[in-house]
Amino acid sequence: MYRQQADKPAQARNTFLNEELGQVGYLLSDKTGTLTQNRLLFRQCCIAGEIYGDSSVRAEDVEPMDLSWNPFSCGGLFMSAPSLVERVRGQQCPVSRQFLSALTLCHTVMAEWKEGAPVYQAASPDEEALVGAARELGWVFLSRTRDFIIISELGVKRQYQLLALIDFTSKRRRMSVLVREPEGGLKLYCKGADIVILERLQKDCPHQERTETALELFAQACLRTLCVAVRSVPEAAWEQWSKTLAQSATMATCDREAVLEKLYDQMERELQLLGVTAIEDRLQDGVPETISLLQQAGLKVWVLTGDKKETAVNIGYSCKLLDPDTRLLEWQELRQILQSPDPGVSFFKARQTELWAVDKETAGAKTAVVLTGPELAEFDQRPEWGASFMSLAEQCQSVLCCRVTPGQKADIVTLVRKHTNSVTLSIGDGANDVNMIKTAHVGVGLTGVEGGQAVQNADFSLSQFRFLQRLLLVHGHWSYQRIALFLRYFLFKTCSFALVHIWFGFFNGFSAQSLYESWFIALYTIFYTAFPIMCVAFFQQDVSAEGSLKWPELYKSGQKQEFSSPLVLSASLLYAVYSSLVFFFIPCGVFYNSAFDFQTMAVTVSMAATFTATIEITLLTRSWTKFNIASVCLSVVSFFVCTRITHNSRLFLESPRDYYFFGVSDQAFINPVVWLTALLTAWMAVLPSVTTHALNVILTVHDKHKVHSTSRQPVELKFNFRRGTSLRRSSYAVSQGAGPRRLITSATSIHSTVPAVDDKVTESSNPTDSQGQNSDAPCWEKANDTSN
């Protein structure tokens, strides 16, 4: 589980949850940056209703455009749109120029000049990708201070006065900047989720219908979308708005938030739609195979994302979360089922209809639930639906939650934990996944470009999603087997050893006299029986790592607690009671009314207990190594050596009260009756275990090594989503915290070596490629969201 490219090994940040890795029943995963590479590529855009670029062509196969006229071009644009370049350079489309100006101005990116070229430092990779795409097309962000933003538009430097920066929040789902143009006009540039941008457009907005069609096409291509809009602000409106904004600074905190929200909403109205950006974020290597294996292992995989519903569903098909013939259960149908008197019966009847499935046996497995954040909010008003929903979700293949906030991600994990007994595991890579990671039983953080907040709050750290295969199916399965085996063995050998005193009490009048020598009691647990079980805990493997991945169904033993259930532990306890009876009564019957004394009987019982514990651990050990063999031999030899030492007459002379068994072992170890009695007792004690192992081998000999796994057909990426009355959602996720507006607006200056405003643009070199994308969060906010 080591990624050589990034030099990032897996880390266990919590060593108390190893056994729970082998019992996970629900995997709740973030999407962006977790399932995807977090490497953003600007693939398409729609400006004034016209679509530019072709996402059907692989990014590596895109024919590069001739951008030699742009001294700042670095070849990082994976979109071929010569017509767009021609229109922009020929000043044939004013909307295109405003669109690119919005991408260059509406952000929180910082620019640092190195070797005559700007190097961008963004709060998140997707914001850097948008600014980088605008740079390739001739709109170059040069620098910023607290009050000004300097850009280059086709080689002409322009300085915009920054009047207000309205930051992104999970409630607003948009970001805006209010600037004064060099000509003196006021413009508000806004970008955000289409669900909030489209409802703030002016009436009869041109190109809206064609832009909405483009949104659907981009979603079908699994691209992440973002709407861009503009508004011309009158001077009088700005003056009145700024006065109210200044007055709100003196209000109490609780009142100020409401006033500010109203002010922001007032300014972000009557917008004119400029266009839509479409960005590609590819799946990580091995994600489809990993999800398929985990589903075969019995895990319920849920994906919690802030993406648009259509985009998330298509990603679900491509990563094998959904099968090609999976039917989607949406909110309208789900709500009717939950409102019925018996949701389970209603769901069963719905599955029998032609709408759901023809095969009754596989109907449940071919159903997936798709919900959005606003729809999930209704569960807060109807808490009684929680149990019914979870009972239905257990019968479905998966659950896909779209447009959810970080708080809702944690609420979903809480819902699963409340209404199921399964172990939950959450995995994410960004700050907006922290709540979800901390709420689950086991939290896994992915190390990526989103910073270390997810890793710092997680129990385990991985560098790739595909490493979950080995973490759960191999190490999780082994850990559960080892700890369950340890518990059973420890319960058996301790209780069988200690309960002998109860039976001895019936013969000594419960006088508190111990049957064992005091030194044997001390050394039995820490020396005679400790090393073999420790080696089993280190090296035990019921199957190899390759076998665990080849037969993922083996993982279900941990989910069902087959080796640590109350029934199994009760059987181990009964086994210990039986062995303790054998330990006492067989030697007692042999030595009763004989020439052997009480101390000889005590040594015989001690020998039998040690032999029994050693035989039992030998039967339980599956993976024999040189350490296991050495530990077993050491345990037996140490018993005889230590017993001879503690029975030494010299020690008795030094401390008669501590070494009162002097000389007993010298006579007992050479007496055949003692040896025969100890061996007979040990054999009778382990007889149930030997019989159980023998019957298990006989009854399962024909099925041994026949663990079947169902082969899956390749999943074709296609759009099987039924739109109907469902609302369109932006593919950009939402986060709880605000972005870096405070840093930008409060800074006295941002130092960078920038040419004078009137100078000509010089050629640039050593460009910076845009990086990946954040985890289900908009390009301007996620890396700074630390409130989770």
Side-chain angles (χ1 to χ4, degrees), residues 104 138 161 165 202 206 208 243 276 289 293 343 360 377 392 407 434 440 449 468 504 589 605 616 634 636 653 661 667:
T104 312
Q161 182 182 1
L165 194 156
Q202 61 187 10
Q208 180 175 350
K243 289 180 181 179
V276 177
E289 294 78 6
L293 273 178
K360 297 182 180 181
L392 300 180
V434 170
V449 298
L468 274 180
F504 184 53
V605 175
E616 182 65 22
L634 178 63
V636 177
L653 296 176
F661 269 55
Q667 300 298 323

Side-chain angles (χ1 to χ4, degrees), residues 353-574:
T353 63
E354 184 179 358
L355 173 65
W356 292 104
V358 178
D359 187 357
K360 297 182 180 181
E361 296 181 357
T362 62
K366 297 300 181 181
T367 304
V369 178
V370 180
L371 299 174
T372 62
E375 295 165 354
L376 286 168
E378 192 163 343
F379 281 93
D380 297 334
Q381 306 172 2
R382 301 286 188 91
E384 67 275 6
W385 284 1
S388 301
F389 171 72
M390 287 306 306
S391 64
L392 300 180
E394 289 179 357
Q395 306 177 49
C396 296
Q397 180 182 9
S398 181
V399 175
L400 188 61
C401 301
C402 315
R403 290 303 288 163
V404 292
T405 65
Q408 286 179 319
K409 290 183 179 182
D411 293 339
I412 294 172
V413 178
T414 303
L415 179 68
V416 177
R417 292 191 58 173
K418 180 179 179 180
H419 297 288
T420 66
N421 296 323
S422 301
V423 176
T424 58
L425 183 147
S426 295
I427 181 170
D429 74 313
N432 67 343
D433 301 317
V434 170
N435 280 352
M436 175 179 69
I437 290 174
K438 297 178 68 175
T439 305
H441 293 94
V442 182
V444 178
L446 290 188
T447 56
V449 298
E450 293 301 321
Q453 294 188 43
V455 172
Q456 292 171 4
N457 290 274
D459 303 304
F460 299 91
S461 170
L462 301 176
S463 59
Q464 291 277 284
F465 182 84
R466 59 188 173 91
F467 292 147
L468 274 180
Q469 294 183 33
R470 297 188 65 87
L471 181 66
L472 297 181
L473 303 185
V474 178
H475 298 287
H477 177 67
W478 286 349
S479 296
Y480 169 73
Q481 292 271 346
R482 293 166 180 172
I483 294 177
L485 188 62
F486 171 81
L487 290 175
R488 290 161 50 196
Y489 175 75
F490 188 86
L491 180 64
F492 163 74
K493 66 101 175 176
T494 303
C495 292
S496 62
F497 155 80
L499 290 177
V500 172
H501 289 94
I502 296 179
W503 320 131
F504 184 53
F506 289 101
F507 290 83
N508 63 14
F510 293 97
S511 62
Q513 180 185 7
S514 175
L515 177 63
Y516 303 114
E517 179 195 9
S518 58
W519 283 103
F520 175 78
I521 296 176
L523 296 175
Y524 177 80
T525 301
I526 65 174
F527 203 44
Y528 300 157
T529 59
F531 297 122
I533 190 60
M534 288 176 62
C535 290
V536 168
F538 288 145
F539 305 112
Q540 179 80 335
Q541 299 178 9
D542 58 335
V543 292
S544 63
E546 293 75 13
S548 297
L549 297 177
K550 185 177 181 181
W551 301 307
E553 290 84 356
L554 294 174
Y555 188 82
K556 295 180 181 179
S557 62
Q559 297 171 336
K560 300 176 182 178
Q561 295 186 345
E562 294 181 358
F563 302 103
S564 61
S565 64
L567 180 61
V568 173
L569 295 179
S570 299
S572 299
L573 181 59
L574 290 176

Side-chain angles (χ1 to χ4, degrees), residues 761-776:
V761 178
T762 59
E763 282 196 18
S764 64
S765 60
N766 297 330
T768 328
D769 290 330
S770 61
Q771 300 176 358
Q773 172 182 354
N774 66 357
S775 172
D776 283 346

Side-chain angles (χ1 to χ4, degrees), residues 107-346:
H107 58 77
T108 57
V109 174
M110 302 292 185
E112 179 181 1
W113 282 75
K114 294 183 179 179
E115 300 181 3
V119 177
Y120 296 144
Q121 298 177 355
S124 59
D126 42 354
E127 186 165 51
E128 182 180 355
L130 295 174
V131 177
R135 177 181 61 182
E136 296 295 317
L137 296 174
W139 263 252
V140 185
F141 168 63
L142 299 178
S143 68
R144 77 188 314 147
T145 64
R146 184 182 63 179
D147 300 319
F148 294 96
I149 299 177
I150 303 174
I151 68 174
S152 171
E153 299 178 0
L154 295 176
V156 179
K157 285 195 180 65
R158 292 170 60 86
Q159 178 172 282
Y160 290 80
Q161 182 182 1
L162 181 60
L163 301 178
L165 194 156
I166 307 177
D167 209 351
F168 180 91
T169 64
S170 59
K171 183 178 180 180
R172 288 170 30 78
R173 303 182 183 183
R174 62 193 182 277
M175 172 191 177
S176 300
V177 291
L178 181 62
V179 296
R180 185 183 299 275
E181 296 179 312
E183 295 79 11
L186 298 179
K187 287 291 181 66
L188 175 81
Y189 292 102
C190 182
K191 66 179 180 182
D194 54 350
I195 188 175
V196 294
I197 297 296
L198 294 180
E199 67 182 12
R200 286 167 171 76
L201 298 179
Q202 61 187 10
K203 294 183 179 180
D204 301 325
C205 182
H207 319 299
Q208 180 175 350
E209 184 176 351
R210 286 190 295 172
T211 302
E212 292 182 3
T213 303
L215 282 170
E216 300 288 350
L217 295 176
F218 294 158
Q220 294 179 25
C222 300
L223 300 178
R224 295 165 59 85
T225 57
L226 187 70
C227 286
V228 181
V230 66
R231 176 193 175 188
S232 296
V233 181
E235 191 72 30
W238 152 246
E239 292 179 357
Q240 180 63 33
W241 189 83
S242 61
K243 289 180 181 179
T244 308
L245 183 65
Q247 293 174 359
S248 65
T250 60
M251 297 182 179
T253 303
C254 55
D255 299 331
R256 183 170 64 249
E257 294 296 332
V259 172
L260 288 177
E261 187 63 33
K262 184 177 180 180
L263 276 175
Y264 296 158
D265 184 74
Q266 177 185 350
M267 179 59 68
E268 296 168 329
R269 289 288 178 180
E270 299 298 322
L271 301 175
Q272 178 185 352
L273 183 62
L274 297 176
V276 177
T277 62
I279 301 175
E280 178 185 63
D281 189 13
R282 298 179 179 178
L283 291 175
Q284 296 180 14
D285 296 335
V287 168
E289 294 78 6
T290 300
I291 292 181
S292 178
L293 273 178
L294 295 178
Q295 288 180 332
Q296 293 179 47
L299 276 78
K300 294 290 186 181
V301 183
W302 292 21
V303 173
L304 316 179
T305 175
D307 278 357
K308 187 176 180 178
K309 184 185 289 187
E310 292 88 344
T311 303
V313 168
N314 279 281
I315 290 293
Y317 284 117
S318 64
C319 68
K320 291 189 178 180
L321 178 68
L322 308 176
D323 292 334
D325 55 347
T326 298
R327 302 293 182 178
L328 303 182
L329 175 61
E330 299 180 59
W331 177 244
Q332 295 300 327
E333 294 88 349
L334 178 62
R335 184 173 183 176
Q336 293 178 3
I337 293 175
L338 294 176
Q339 289 177 338
S340 62
D342 192 338
V345 174
S346 301

Side-chain angles (χ1 to χ4, degrees), residues 469-754:
Q469 294 183 33
R470 297 188 65 87
L471 181 66
L472 297 181
L473 303 185
V474 178
H475 298 287
H477 177 67
W478 286 349
S479 296
Y480 169 73
Q481 292 271 346
R482 293 166 180 172
I483 294 177
L485 188 62
F486 171 81
L487 290 175
R488 290 161 50 196
Y489 175 75
F490 188 86
L491 180 64
F492 163 74
K493 66 101 175 176
T494 303
C495 292
S496 62
F497 155 80
L499 290 177
V500 172
H501 289 94
I502 296 179
W503 320 131
F504 184 53
F506 289 101
F507 290 83
N508 63 14
F510 293 97
S511 62
Q513 180 185 7
S514 175
L515 177 63
Y516 303 114
E517 179 195 9
S518 58
W519 283 103
F520 175 78
I521 296 176
L523 296 175
Y524 177 80
T525 301
I526 65 174
F527 203 44
Y528 300 157
T529 59
F531 297 122
I533 190 60
M534 288 176 62
C535 290
V536 168
F538 288 145
F539 305 112
Q540 179 80 335
Q541 299 178 9
D542 58 335
V543 292
S544 63
E546 293 75 13
S548 297
L549 297 177
K550 185 177 181 181
W551 301 307
E553 290 84 356
L554 294 174
Y555 188 82
K556 295 180 181 179
S557 62
Q559 297 171 336
K560 300 176 182 178
Q561 295 186 345
E562 294 181 358
F563 302 103
S564 61
S565 64
L567 180 61
V568 173
L569 295 179
S570 299
S572 299
L573 181 59
L574 290 176
Y575 180 29
V577 173
Y578 162 80
S579 298
S580 67
L581 291 170
V582 172
F583 288 162
F584 177 76
F585 285 103
I586 289 182
C588 182
V590 172
F591 297 143
Y592 187 74
N593 287 334
S594 66
F596 296 98
D597 58 1
F598 158 75
Q599 292 183 339
T600 303
M601 176 183 170
V603 172
T604 305
V605 175
S606 300
M607 288 177 61
T610 304
F611 290 163
T612 301
T614 304
I615 296 172
E616 182 65 22
I617 196 62
T618 302
L619 293 174
L620 295 177
T621 302
R622 298 289 184 86
S623 302
W624 284 97
T625 66
K626 58 183 179 181
F627 302 103
N628 295 84
I629 298 174
S631 64
V632 170
C633 297
L634 178 63
S635 298
V636 177
V637 172
S638 63
F639 166 75
F640 291 100
V641 173
C642 293
T643 303
R644 293 297 298 271
I645 294 175
T646 58
H647 293 186
N648 190 279
S649 59
R650 294 183 180 179
L651 294 177
F652 172 75
L653 296 176
E654 294 290 337
S655 179
R657 300 187 61 179
D658 296 329
Y659 303 96
Y660 52 90
F661 269 55
F662 68 94
V664 177
S665 61
D666 295 340
Q667 300 298 323
F669 287 167
I670 62 175
N671 194 308
V673 176
V674 172
W675 277 94
L676 289 175
T677 304
L679 293 175
L680 175 63
T681 303
W683 168 249
M684 292 299 298
V686 299
L687 185 59
S689 181
V690 174
T691 304
T692 302
H693 281 78
L695 291 176
N696 186 50
V697 172
I698 295 173
L699 296 177
T700 62
V701 63
H702 298 293
D703 297 328
K704 200 171 183 63
H705 306 304
K706 293 184 179 180
V707 183
H708 300 284
S709 59
T710 305
S711 60
R712 305 261 180 181
Q713 297 295 328
V715 175
E716 178 185 359
L717 179 59
K718 64 179 182 179
F719 189 67
N720 281 1
F721 186 76
R722 306 192 309 275
R723 293 183 179 83
T725 59
S726 61
L727 295 177
R728 185 184 300 105
R729 298 288 188 267
S730 169
S731 67
Y732 272 79
V734 291
S735 182
Q736 291 179 325
R741 176 188 64 85
R742 184 179 299 274
L743 172 65
I744 295 172
T745 57
S746 63
T748 56
S749 64
I750 304 297
H751 298 286
S752 59
T753 307
V754 186

